[in-house]
Amino acid sequence: MSPEQFQPTDILDEPFWIERPEQQLAPFLFNSPHSGRCYTADFKNSSRLTELELRSSEDSYIDLLYARAPSCGVPLMAANFPRAFLDLNREPYELDPIVFSDPLPSYAKTSGARVGSGLGTIARIVSERKEIYRHKLSLQEGLDRIETLYKPYHQALRRELALAHVNFGYACLIDCHSMPSRVFQNANPNNRPDIVLGDRFGTSCHPSLINSAKSILGHLGLRVEINRPYAGGFITQHYGRPIKGLHALQIEIDRSLYMNEETFEPLPHFAELVELLGRFTDMLMQCASDALYPTAAAAE
């Protein structure tokens, strides 16, 4: 893993990428919608924040942490643009009126907790509650981001899951994220989780998937919590349809396990965590498939 892979860039050649295995061995798709590190000059110039401040919303290096997924026989998909620019884990039109200089269309969802907190599809703030933009955006600029980035990403995501479902009879989306360590700053150090698994409180995947994930991660030495404080976002909720053989599970990993949260430097044992998550991926495929296929078959 080269040092260049950890560096942000200002050139957005492609909005996202999918790395596929030579042969897909299981109907899993690992997805990293928030790890994009491309901060274009236009975006940085439009912001009142430094690049490091903008990166505070980024699920840094999650795409690299799960880099072993294709060698385990499953695809890995990730965005190149950052969450602060456009959030793929939202409904397409969760738009904050404060962000825009123009009136919003009637179909925009302008209320709700996410929009109200400044974290809509086009965020107003970064995770430190700092305002992103110097000036309001035009509505057309926001709609262009949705048309050229959001919609193609989700079209590709749906296509990958549909192919898996057709070829295997069911599909599993593993939505990969990271969480700041400060979330658990008041918790007992012996009880704070390394990983939080989310299945929307039992609605986005068959219980065998989340139970298998928890068991495997525990076997690998990681402390796991389920659904608290992260039960899964829009992607988990939207794509998880267990009765149809479509399962979605969100995984949040504590950033302090693999990076310096102030400087964004990867820790020396980063590669060890990559290998561990590769083992997790391989074991999850073997463990979960036997239980999930009958569920999917029964629904057809």
Coordinates of all heavy atoms in Angstrom, one line a residue, residues 43-51 53-54 124 130-136:
F43 N -14.1 23.5 -5.2 CA -14.8 23.2 -3.9 C -14.0 23.9 -2.8 O -14.7 24.5 -1.9 CB -14.9 21.7 -3.7 CG -15.6 21.3 -2.4 CD1 -16.7 21.9 -2.0 CD2 -15.1 20.3 -1.6 CE1 -17.4 21.6 -0.8 CE2 -15.7 19.9 -0.4 CZ -16.8 20.6 0.0
K44 N -12.7 23.7 -2.7 CA -12.0 24.3 -1.6 C -12.1 25.9 -1.7 O -12.1 26.5 -0.6 CB -10.5 23.9 -1.7 CG -10.3 22.4 -1.3 CD -8.8 22.0 -1.3 CE -8.2 21.9 -2.6 NZ -6.8 21.4 -2.5
N45 N -12.1 26.4 -2.9 CA -12.2 27.9 -2.9 C -13.6 28.4 -2.5 O -13.7 29.5 -2.1 CB -11.9 28.4 -4.4 CG -10.5 28.2 -4.7 OD1 -9.6 28.2 -3.9 ND2 -10.2 28.1 -6.0
S46 N -14.6 27.6 -2.7 CA -16.0 27.9 -2.3 C -16.2 27.8 -0.8 O -17.2 28.3 -0.2 CB -17.0 27.1 -3.0 OG -17.0 25.8 -2.5
S47 N -15.2 27.1 -0.1 CA -15.4 26.9 1.3 C -14.6 27.9 2.2 O -13.6 28.4 1.8 CB -14.9 25.5 1.7 OG -15.0 25.2 3.0
R48 N -15.1 28.1 3.4 CA -14.4 28.9 4.4 C -13.5 28.1 5.2 O -12.8 28.6 6.1 CB -15.4 29.7 5.2 CG -16.3 28.7 6.1 CD -17.3 29.5 7.0 NE -18.3 30.2 6.2 CZ -19.1 31.1 6.6 NH1 -19.0 31.6 7.9 NH2 -20.0 31.6 5.9
L49 N -13.5 26.8 5.0 CA -12.7 25.9 5.8 C -11.4 25.4 5.2 O -11.3 25.5 4.0 CB -13.5 24.6 6.1 CG -14.9 24.8 6.8 CD1 -15.6 23.5 7.0 CD2 -14.8 25.6 8.1
T50 N -10.5 25.0 6.0 CA -9.2 24.4 5.5 C -9.5 23.0 5.0 O -10.6 22.4 5.3 CB -8.2 24.4 6.6 OG1 -8.6 23.4 7.6 CG2 -7.9 25.7 7.2
E51 N -8.6 22.5 4.2 CA -8.8 21.1 3.8 C -8.9 20.1 4.9 O -9.7 19.2 4.9 CB -7.7 20.7 2.8 CG -7.9 19.3 2.1 CD -6.9 19.0 1.1 OE1 -6.9 19.7 0.0 OE2 -6.1 18.1 1.3
E53 N -10.1 20.7 7.9 CA -11.4 20.8 8.5 C -12.5 20.2 7.6 O -13.4 19.5 8.1 CB -11.7 22.3 8.6 CG -10.9 23.0 9.8 CD -11.2 24.5 9.8 OE1 -11.3 25.1 8.7 OE2 -11.2 25.0 10.9
L54 N -12.4 20.3 6.3 CA -13.3 19.6 5.4 C -13.2 18.1 5.5 O -14.3 17.4 5.5 CB -13.1 20.0 3.9 CG -13.5 21.4 3.5 CD1 -12.9 21.7 2.1 CD2 -15.0 21.6 3.5
R124 N -24.4 21.4 4.9 CA -24.1 22.8 5.3 C -22.9 22.9 6.2 O -22.2 23.9 6.2 CB -25.3 23.4 5.9 CG -25.2 24.8 6.5 CD -26.5 25.5 6.8 NE -27.4 24.6 7.6 CZ -27.4 24.5 8.9 NH1 -26.5 25.2 9.6 NH2 -28.2 23.7 9.5
K130 N -19.0 23.1 11.8 CA -18.4 24.3 11.1 C -19.1 24.4 9.8 O -19.2 23.5 9.0 CB -16.9 24.1 11.0 CG -16.2 24.1 12.3 CD -14.7 23.9 12.1 CE -13.9 23.8 13.4 NZ -12.5 23.5 13.3
E131 N -19.5 25.7 9.5 CA -20.1 26.0 8.2 C -19.1 25.8 7.0 O -18.0 26.3 7.1 CB -20.7 27.4 8.2 CG -21.7 27.7 9.3 CD -23.1 27.3 8.8 OE1 -23.3 27.1 7.6 OE2 -24.0 27.1 9.7
I132 N -19.6 25.1 6.0 CA -18.7 24.8 4.9 C -18.5 26.0 3.9 O -17.4 26.3 3.6 CB -19.3 23.6 4.1 CG1 -19.2 22.3 4.9 CG2 -18.5 23.4 2.8 CD1 -19.9 21.1 4.3
Y133 N -19.6 26.7 3.5 CA -19.5 27.6 2.4 C -19.4 29.0 2.8 O -19.9 29.5 3.8 CB -20.7 27.4 1.5 CG -20.8 26.0 0.9 CD1 -21.6 25.0 1.4 CD2 -20.0 25.7 -0.2 CE1 -21.7 23.8 0.9 CE2 -20.0 24.4 -0.7 CZ -20.9 23.4 -0.2 OH -20.9 22.2 -0.7
R134 N -18.6 29.8 1.9 CA -18.5 31.2 2.0 C -19.8 31.9 1.6 O -20.2 32.9 2.2 CB -17.4 31.7 1.1 CG -16.0 31.2 1.5 CD -15.0 31.8 0.5 NE -13.7 31.2 0.7 CZ -12.8 31.7 1.5 NH1 -13.1 32.7 2.3 NH2 -11.6 31.1 1.7
H135 N -20.4 31.4 0.6 CA -21.6 31.9 0.0 C -22.6 30.8 -0.3 O -22.3 29.7 -0.3 CB -21.3 32.7 -1.3 CG -20.2 33.7 -1.2 ND1 -20.3 34.9 -0.5 CD2 -18.9 33.7 -1.6 CE1 -19.2 35.5 -0.5 NE2 -18.3 34.8 -1.2
K136 N -23.9 31.2 -0.5 CA -24.9 30.3 -0.8 C -24.7 29.7 -2.2 O -24.1 30.4 -3.1 CB -26.3 30.9 -0.7 CG -26.8 31.3 0.7 CD -28.1 31.9 0.7 CE -28.6 32.3 2.1 NZ -28.9 31.1 2.9

